[in-house]
Amino acid sequence: MQSLPPMDTTASQHPPEPSRPLRLLSLDGGGVRGIITALWLHRLQAELSDPLHQHVDLIAGTSTGSLLACGMACGHSAQDLVAFYQKHGESVFPRGASRFAGRLRKLLSGSRYNHDGLRRVLDEVVGDTLLSEAQTRVMVTCFAPELDKGIVFDSASPDCAGISMQEACLASASLPDIFPAHMMDVPGHGRLGLVDGGVLSTDPSPQAVARLIREGIPQRGILLASFGTGIGPNPPDRIKAMQPPGDACDCSWMTPRLEQLLERTLSCEEWEILSGSPYRRFQTRLSAELAVPDHAGREQVRGMLLAAQKFLEEEGGEQKLTALAGELRLPAPENAGAG
């Protein structure tokens, strides 16, 4: 994973409180299924007295998760983001005659959709906001096929100061076969075609934690709240391999992947900190029909919302979110993690 260097922000930011862990919110990719994550985040935010981004130190997002991460870092409520998916889902992933045109486009160019609909959504969600203007620190993951490397755009990196959230999200959401690669200038590498960060991992938490380890993992540990977008009944082996164990309750489950990203063995101290860092995962199973990332029709979206609600009401999700809200409720230091 190619990480861009962190910004020295000690002069403008207060140091985090030593009495609580660093709070990391991680948001998976999954196309229109991001509405599931958005609904859960809306429910979580309802438990808190302030916007959710004020209760975390860092938000990491991949693909549709990058849109959610940057949207919250711009000050949007999770309820706003649910509405964006309902309003714009079919403009990003059109059906009917437009869907036929998409199949023809895929035959001719290799991608089913162009970026037009996604750009319209991003115009409304993030506009021209720069990563450096994020109201809390945000990381967006992408993949560079030419380099065979992951790229992390970090609002706390000086090299990312001039990169817009819209550009970063377009790159992170450009899933091969669905969208064309997004061409942009990448600091240190020149102009590249970037694709969906889910090519490396649909869950951005290992990349974000690896970045924190490079910076010096805090002794107080990390509280990692990781939100999925639902998983189908027969996911590909590659997707299965990315899923953490169902009984994971601390961050040590990701040690093998972290060592791959860092290209070294974790120290005993790093492993001990991760094994003591709480991990909260929110994920649910979906039918095969609902698991398709680009089926954004009214009935599919309604089915996703019902599945998300079922997780809350029948699968213990409500209690898990209430408990997480209690862990996040400590006030964040002023301007913590902002770029």
Side-chain angles (χ1 to χ4, degrees):
M1 172 61 63
Q2 177 70 42
S3 293
L4 301 176
M7 178 183 295
D8 181 2
T9 56
T10 54
S12 60
Q13 298 174 17
H14 296 285
E17 297 173 5
S19 60
R20 62 154 177 81
L22 184 148
R23 297 165 294 183
L24 167 57
L25 182 62
S26 177
L27 310 177
D28 283 17
V32 72
R33 299 200 315 265
I35 195 170
I36 293 173
T37 303
L39 182 66
W40 291 341
L41 293 175
H42 169 49
R43 179 66 190 86
L44 175 61
Q45 186 169 297
E47 292 281 339
L48 301 167
S49 57
D50 302 298
L52 183 53
H53 74 269
Q54 295 182 16
H55 290 270
V56 296
D57 303 300
L58 168 61
I59 310 175
T62 293
S63 193
T64 197
S66 71
L67 185 150
L68 290 167
C70 288
M72 287 190 290
C74 282
H76 288 294
S77 70
Q79 184 176 14
D80 291 338
L81 297 172
V82 173
F84 287 137
Y85 279 93
Q86 292 175 307
K87 178 180 177 181
H88 293 293
E90 287 193 65
S91 67
V92 177
F93 304 111
R95 299 186 300 165
S98 295
R99 197 167 181 82
F100 173 77
R103 288 194 291 268
L104 179 60
R105 184 183 300 111
K106 178 173 172 57
L107 180 65
L108 297 174
S109 68
S111 58
R112 194 175 305 167
Y113 309 101
N114 58 36
H115 284 129
D116 293 350
L118 185 55
R119 283 188 183 277
R120 285 193 291 272
V121 177
L122 290 168
D123 280 338
E124 187 170 342
V125 176
V126 300
D128 297 324
T129 306
L130 300 177
L131 283 170
S132 58
E133 297 172 325
Q135 295 180 30
T136 194
R137 186 177 180 181
V138 65
M139 291 184 189
V140 172
T141 69
C142 317
F143 185 76
E146 294 175 63
L147 304 176
D148 193 27
K149 287 183 178 180
I151 299 289
V152 175
F153 293 122
D154 184 348
S155 66
S157 168
D159 286 340
C160 293
I163 295 176
S164 70
M165 290 185 178
Q166 182 160 163
E167 291 289 297
C169 289
L170 280 170
S172 185
S174 291
L175 183 64
D177 295 333
I178 303 293
F179 292 110
H182 178 60
M183 300 299 300
M184 64 178 290
D185 293 324
V186 180
H189 298 290
R191 195 159 185 82
L192 294 175
L194 300 181
V195 300
D196 196 309
V199 170
L200 185 65
S201 175
T202 55
D203 177 358
S205 58
Q207 293 99 306
V209 172
R211 179 61 181 252
L212 293 172
I213 290 174
R214 290 190 187 99
E215 295 174 0
I217 188 169
Q219 288 287 334
R220 66 191 186 282
I222 299 168
L223 166 59
L224 172 55
S226 176
F227 285 78
T229 60
I231 189 168
N234 296 298
D237 290 341
R238 183 182 72 88
I239 300 298
K240 288 180 183 177
M242 294 177 185
Q243 296 296 310
D247 59 352
C249 60
D250 61 51
C251 294
S252 61
W253 67 268
M254 67 175 75
T255 298
R257 198 177 307 170
L258 289 172
E259 292 181 337
Q260 290 176 348
L261 292 168
L262 295 167
E263 299 181 341
R264 66 170 176 82
T265 301
L266 290 179
S267 69
C268 291
E269 180 184 40
E270 289 166 343
W271 190 90
E272 288 175 0
I273 291 174
L274 290 175
S275 66
S277 290
Y279 173 73
R280 309 289 180 250
R281 177 67 171 171
F282 296 83
Q283 183 66 292
T284 191
R285 288 280 178 177
L286 298 175
S287 67
E289 180 184 6
L290 295 180
V292 181
D294 64 330
H295 283 189
R298 184 174 301 175
E299 286 303 310
Q300 285 87 355
V301 169
R302 180 174 178 272
M304 291 173 198
L305 290 172
L306 289 174
Q309 192 64 35
K310 179 181 177 182
F311 169 79
L312 295 178
E313 296 176 355
E314 301 178 19
E315 300 172 29
E318 190 80 32
Q319 292 82 358
K320 289 177 65 177
L321 284 175
T322 299
L324 175 60
E327 293 178 291
L328 295 176
R329 196 166 281 120
L330 283 174
E334 184 181 353
N335 296 327

